[in-house]
Amino acid sequence: MPGTTVDVTTEDGTADAYLARPGGDGPFPAVLFYMDAFGLRPHLEKMADRLAEAGYVVLVPSVFYRAGRSPVFDLPEFIDPAARPGLFEKIGPLMRSLTPEALMNDAGAYLRFLADSPLTTDGPVGITGYCMGAGLALRTAGTYPDRVAAAAGFHGAYLASEADDSPHLLAGKVTAELYFAHADQDAAMPPEQVERLEKALTEAGVTHRCEVYAGAHHGYTQADTAAYNAEAAERHWTELLALFSRTLS
């Protein structure tokens, strides 16, 4: 089934989003898909379509909706290293303007949208997130534990920093099963943060698995960037679909 653009009403306005669904009548389990920093774009829509083909209704909201509808900024068809500095001059201020409180208010709106959809089952949702979206996946699992059955994060950034609002500090509130796959060549998730996240989840008794993908860079799932690693990306699909198969009904 072709995906569609939908609008999600939030406390601060209207978030544009991409909604992908399987063929057939349903209802189907729901998945909330958190974008990376480059935003809602055709590549993420293709990823959502692949998840939908596996039997899930997938919502990909534009986290940057406060700055306008997607595309919020112009992206090249292929994001190479030379393009990144100029892009992050635009992306950085948007990321810094979003507080955890605002993002989790938005998350509540996304979850309500999925719960109210006639396409979805009544059970809790799965979440997958990439780059900045991995942190949002963890925050959402900790903020809405009764609504989230599983959450995964891939090449996440600063998931267990020393900041007072680091995502890993919500570990004690998580009831979902978690899976995180870090890149071993990722300055945004250095070994000390990988260890800190693992410790926090273990001490909180969270069912989880954290892995480091050897030879992968930050952004390894994103085929429209130079960071793409086909082997790591396919491994991510294997683990993500297995997680959702175990936990969503």
Side-chain angles (χ1 to χ4, degrees):
M1 293 287 291
T4 58
T5 298
V6 296
D7 288 341
V8 180
T9 302
T10 74
E11 291 185 7
D12 292 335
T14 302
D16 57 301
Y18 182 76
L19 186 72
R21 56 161 296 182
D25 295 331
F28 307 97
V31 170
L32 174 57
F33 182 127
Y34 278 125
M35 67 185 211
D36 64 354
F38 294 127
L40 182 55
R41 61 193 192 281
H43 173 62
L44 296 191
E45 294 175 358
K46 290 178 182 177
M47 293 179 71
D49 290 344
R50 181 166 174 175
L51 267 177
E53 289 173 1
Y56 304 100
V57 172
V58 186
L59 181 71
V60 192
S62 174
V63 173
F64 295 150
Y65 72 86
R66 292 171 179 82
R69 297 184 71 85
S70 302
V72 176
F73 35 77
D74 293 330
L75 288 174
E77 288 187 12
F78 184 77
I79 303 168
D80 60 24
R84 294 176 70 92
L87 287 173
F88 274 96
E89 287 182 4
K90 302 173 184 178
I91 296 169
L94 291 180
M95 294 178 66
R96 291 189 290 271
S97 71
L98 296 173
T99 64
E101 292 75 18
L103 290 165
M104 288 304 96
N105 284 339
D106 291 346
Y110 306 147
L111 293 172
R112 285 193 296 275
F113 178 92
L114 288 169
D116 291 344
S117 172
L119 299 173
T120 63
T121 60
D122 293 334
V125 309
I127 305 178
T128 186
Y130 303 84
C131 179
M132 62 178 286
L136 296 179
L138 179 52
R139 288 191 191 280
T140 304
T143 305
Y144 300 96
D146 59 329
R147 290 288 297 122
V148 181
F154 300 91
H155 46 84
Y158 309 108
L159 299 179
S161 73
E162 295 181 345
D164 292 340
D165 58 359
S166 176
H168 79 286
L169 298 176
L170 291 170
K173 298 182 179 180
V174 172
T175 58
E177 181 177 343
L178 303 183
Y179 177 80
F180 289 97
H182 314 295
D184 73 341
Q185 301 176 51
D186 191 349
M189 195 64 190
E192 59 270 21
Q193 290 200 39
V194 172
E195 294 172 6
R196 190 178 294 132
L197 176 62
E198 174 67 37
K199 181 180 179 182
L201 296 176
T202 299
E203 291 182 348
V206 177
T207 301
H208 73 281
R209 185 153 52 94
C210 296
E211 297 186 303
V212 177
Y213 288 6
H217 293 267
H218 184 82
Y220 60 79
T221 62
Q222 305 301 301
D224 59 349
T225 77
Y228 180 66
N229 181 306
E231 181 179 354
E234 285 306 308
R235 182 177 175 185
H236 130 270
W237 281 115
T238 297
E239 295 293 351
L240 181 63
L241 292 173
L243 173 68
F244 288 165
S245 178
R246 287 194 301 273
T247 56
L248 303 182
S249 59

